[in-house]
Amino acid sequence: MTSPYHGIIKEIVIKENSKIDEGEPLFIIQTLTGENKAIKVGIRGSVQSIEVQIGDEVIPGMVLTYVKDESFIIE
């Protein structure tokens, strides 16, 4: 998952190896205009790794986390 904004990581809501659901907020980014934006995921899956820390500056397209997509598990 990549950042859609230029700003600063204010909060990391998820933890590595945790399960996430579609629409769940993962990060809070404070944009250059001072707005706090929740970054949500569009898939269900598990967090493989978190690539940023609180206070890191991010730009659009920068990788925030790697998520294993588990939306279409066939049993």
Side-chain angles (χ1 to χ4, degrees), residues 21-40:
D21 288 317
E22 185 174 346
E24 182 177 338
L26 307 183
F27 299 92
I28 305 295
I29 294 178
Q30 185 177 45
T31 66
L32 297 178
T33 60
E35 294 179 84
N36 287 330
K37 299 282 192 174
I39 308 304
K40 298 178 181 180

Side-chain angles (χ1 to χ4, degrees), residues 4-70:
Y5 303 109
H6 188 169
I8 304 291
I9 300 291
K10 296 305 275 186
E11 184 178 350
I12 300 173
V13 181
I14 56 170
K15 300 206 182 308
E16 282 193 21
N17 302 314
S18 62
K19 299 286 184 189
I20 55 173
D21 288 317
E22 185 174 346
E24 182 177 338
L26 307 183
F27 299 92
I28 305 295
I29 294 178
Q30 185 177 45
T31 66
L32 297 178
T33 60
E35 294 179 84
N36 287 330
K37 299 282 192 174
I39 308 304
K40 298 178 181 180
V41 69
I43 60 172
R44 187 177 73 221
S46 59
V47 177
Q48 299 298 298
S49 67
I50 299 171
E51 302 298 316
V52 294
Q53 297 178 16
I54 292 173
D56 284 357
E57 182 175 356
V58 295
I59 59 172
M62 184 174 174
V63 173
L64 303 176
T65 185
Y66 289 101
V67 176
K68 180 178 179 187
D69 186 350
E70 297 174 355

